[in-house]
């Protein structure tokens, strides 16, 4: 039996985990009965419309989705006559399948129809029975989706439109670092070269579809691209280095590269969601501040003034360095 009262949104922690997994803005959510071509009967899901994709969860507190449906190529949405009272039924017609949806009441059905048509047709449908406030929400979502599409066009199209099935990865439904993209080595290289301001480290699937790879771009003498293999070993992950490093999760793998390079490597973040982008930037800033304070603390225990390459560098408070020209006397 479907819930009679409007469901409450998922806790913030669950929302953040779903955001990291999907990397898409949330437009609408609620309970849906779903019948796909391979289903014998309807299945009851808590459903989220993120971008142009429906994500299906076993319940509203589950952080990981159990199925999803991409609506970008939606052909049409057709209403069905239902013999059940206070219930809305309609069919999503896609190039490869037809999916039947059933809602808990007619009002909820109108909302789902409105939001789905808005994001797929990029226009607010005229014939929907919604309240003024609900129509305003549709216009807000329309503007967000238009901006998202524009941002997608500004990035390497092959990377953003790639249709690889990342379900082949055992832990793909676990929270992934924000710099994870289902791209090839070549595409990762192009993303780093064309968008240096977004970061210089990408986590991507490995060539064998079982491992992962880290692609980095460093500018020392000249820009250099390097790739590191990350193998899944049980519940841990091993970075293939001269001395292999084993870590408990992929987040630790990203942290390892940041710490070993003293913050020179930063996760490559492309996200239309301002909250996620802000959190990543804050993470990088905190790391850099921690590292700088640690280094300054060690230096303060030594001589206050240090001669470096013919100049005296006077250490002041964190965040400011004053260079005073000073010629080092030549040895006689």
């Amino acid at each position: 039996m479907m819930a009679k009262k409007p469901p409450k949104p998922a806790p913030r922690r669950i929302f953040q985990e779903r955001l990291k997994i999907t990397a898409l803005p949330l437009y609408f959510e609620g309970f849906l009965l779903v019948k796909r071509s391979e289903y014998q009967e309807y299945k009851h899901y808590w459903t989220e419309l993120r971008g142009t994709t429906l994500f299906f969860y076993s319940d509203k507190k589950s952080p990981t989705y159990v199925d999803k449906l991409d609506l970008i190529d939606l052909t049409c949405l057709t209403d069905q006559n239902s013999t059940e009272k206070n219930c809305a039924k309609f069919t999503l017609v896609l190039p490869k399948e037809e999916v039947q949806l059933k809602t808990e009441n007619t009002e909820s059905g109108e909302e789902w129809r409105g939001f789905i048509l808005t994001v797929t047709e990029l226009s607010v449908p005229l014939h929907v029975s919604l309240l003024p406030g609900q129509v305003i929400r549709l216009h807000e979502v329309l503007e967000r989706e238009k901006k998202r599409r524009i941002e997608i066009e500004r990035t390497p199209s092959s990377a953003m439109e790639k249709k690889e099935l990342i379900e082949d990865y055992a832990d793909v439904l676990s929270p992934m670092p924000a710099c994870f993209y289902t791209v090839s080595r070549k595409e990762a290289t192009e993303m780093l070269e064309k968008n240096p301001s977004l970061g210089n480290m990408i986590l991507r699937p490995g060539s064998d579809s079982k491992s992962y790879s880290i692609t980095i771009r460093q500018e020392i003498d000249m820009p250099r691209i390097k790739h590191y293999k990350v193998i899944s070993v049980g519940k841990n992950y091993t970075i293939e280095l001269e001395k292999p490093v084993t870590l408990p999760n992929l987040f630790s793998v990203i942290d390892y590269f940041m710490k070993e390079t003293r913050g020179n490597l930063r996760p490559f973040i492309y996200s239309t969601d301002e909250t996620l982008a802000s959190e990543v930037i804050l993470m990088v800033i905190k790391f850099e501040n921690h590292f700088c304070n640690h280094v300054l603390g060690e230096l303060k225990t030594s001589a206050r003034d240090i001669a470096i390459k013919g100049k005296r560098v006077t250490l002041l408070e964190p965040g400011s360095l004053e260079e005073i020209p000073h010629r080092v006397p030549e040895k006689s």
Side-chain angles (χ1 to χ4, degrees):
M1 182 179 294
M2 302 195 73
K4 295 182 180 180
K5 295 182 179 180
K8 296 181 180 180
R12 180 173 175 79
R13 177 182 62 82
I14 301 299
F15 174 82
Q16 292 296 336
E17 289 184 12
R18 289 176 180 175
L19 179 59
K20 290 178 181 179
I21 294 171
T22 63
L24 290 168
L26 175 63
Y27 293 149
F28 191 64
E29 59 184 342
F31 285 112
L32 274 181
L33 282 169
V34 183
K35 187 177 181 181
R36 303 192 68 168
S37 55
E38 66 269 25
Y39 297 172
Q40 297 298 321
E41 57 186 17
Y42 282 97
K43 293 189 177 183
H44 191 190
Y45 292 123
W46 174 262
T47 308
E48 291 185 339
L49 175 62
R50 290 180 175 271
T52 56
T53 303
L54 291 175
F55 292 92
F56 305 115
Y57 300 85
S58 56
D59 58 69
K60 65 179 181 180
K61 292 187 178 180
S62 175
T64 58
Y65 61 88
V66 296
D67 201 0
K68 66 177 181 177
L69 180 65
D70 191 355
L71 305 178
I72 190 65
D73 296 321
L74 181 69
T75 303
C76 66
L77 185 155
T78 59
D79 293 315
Q80 295 182 28
N81 294 324
S82 176
T83 57
E84 302 176 47
K85 294 182 179 180
N86 196 31
C87 170
K89 294 175 66 176
F90 48 91
T91 300
L92 302 178
V93 181
L94 297 159
K96 295 184 179 180
E97 68 171 320
E98 292 187 4
V99 181
Q100 298 179 42
L101 302 180
K102 183 163 61 173
T103 63
E104 56 184 337
N105 54 56
T106 54
E107 181 182 351
S108 177
E110 283 296 289
E111 286 187 286
W112 277 110
R113 287 179 68 256
F115 280 96
I116 289 174
L117 291 175
T118 296
V119 300
T120 55
E121 297 180 355
L122 286 184
S123 65
V124 174
L126 299 177
H127 305 292
V128 288
S129 301
L130 296 175
L131 298 173
Q134 294 170 322
V135 175
I136 291 175
R137 285 186 60 197
L138 290 183
H139 283 281
E140 292 174 347
V141 165
L142 175 61
E143 293 306 311
R144 291 183 65 188
E145 181 61 15
K146 285 181 177 179
K147 290 180 180 179
R148 188 181 78 89
R149 300 282 185 95
I150 292 174
E151 289 297 327
I152 290 176
E153 293 175 358
R154 291 177 179 173
T155 61
S157 58
S158 58
M160 299 309 301
E161 298 174 0
K162 199 169 184 64
K163 300 296 182 180
E164 292 183 357
L165 296 178
I166 59 176
E167 284 80 2
D168 291 338
Y169 294 87
D171 62 342
V172 70
L173 294 183
S174 298
M176 296 291 288
C179 59
F180 173 75
Y181 299 89
T182 53
V183 295
S184 65
R185 172 186 288 216
K186 180 181 178 182
E187 290 167 336
T189 300
E190 290 177 352
M191 290 169 69
L192 295 178
E193 290 177 340
K194 294 180 179 180
N195 304 276
S197 63
L198 301 182
N200 53 7
M201 176 170 50
I202 287 177
L203 173 66
R204 58 182 176 80
S207 57
D208 58 4
S209 297
K210 294 180 181 179
S211 61
Y212 294 87
S213 292
I214 295 282
T215 297
I216 67 171
R217 182 176 186 270
Q218 287 182 300
E219 295 188 22
I220 304 176
D221 299 327
M222 59 182 296
R224 295 180 181 178
I225 297 290
K226 292 184 178 181
H227 309 275
Y228 298 88
K229 193 171 185 178
V230 180
I231 301 175
S232 176
V233 183
K235 294 183 179 181
N236 298 323
Y237 296 87
T238 298
I239 308 172
E240 285 197 343
L241 302 171
E242 185 175 349
K243 292 183 179 180
V245 176
T246 299
L247 298 163
N249 54 56
L250 292 172
F251 290 94
S252 298
V253 171
I254 299 301
D255 288 341
Y256 175 82
F257 278 89
M258 290 177 64
K259 291 176 181 176
E260 288 299 306
T261 60
R262 298 180 178 180
N264 288 324
L265 287 181
R266 296 179 295 105
F268 181 95
I269 304 299
Y270 169 77
S271 173
T272 56
D273 187 270
E274 297 180 357
T275 301
L276 176 60
S278 298
E279 287 184 355
V280 174
I281 292 172
L282 182 60
M283 177 187 72
V284 174
I285 292 174
K286 285 183 177 179
F287 172 78
E288 291 177 344
N289 286 341
H290 172 76
F291 174 75
C292 290
N293 289 334
H294 174 70
V295 172
L296 286 171
E298 290 186 347
L299 291 175
K300 283 183 177 180
T301 60
S302 59
R304 190 70 177 174
D305 296 333
I306 304 173
I308 300 178
K309 293 182 180 180
K311 295 182 179 180
R312 177 184 297 169
V313 180
T314 303
L315 299 182
L316 304 176
E317 292 304 314
S320 64
L321 288 178
E322 180 183 358
E323 290 191 353
I324 303 176
H326 176 74
R327 182 178 299 278
V328 178
E330 297 181 356
K331 293 184 179 179
S332 56

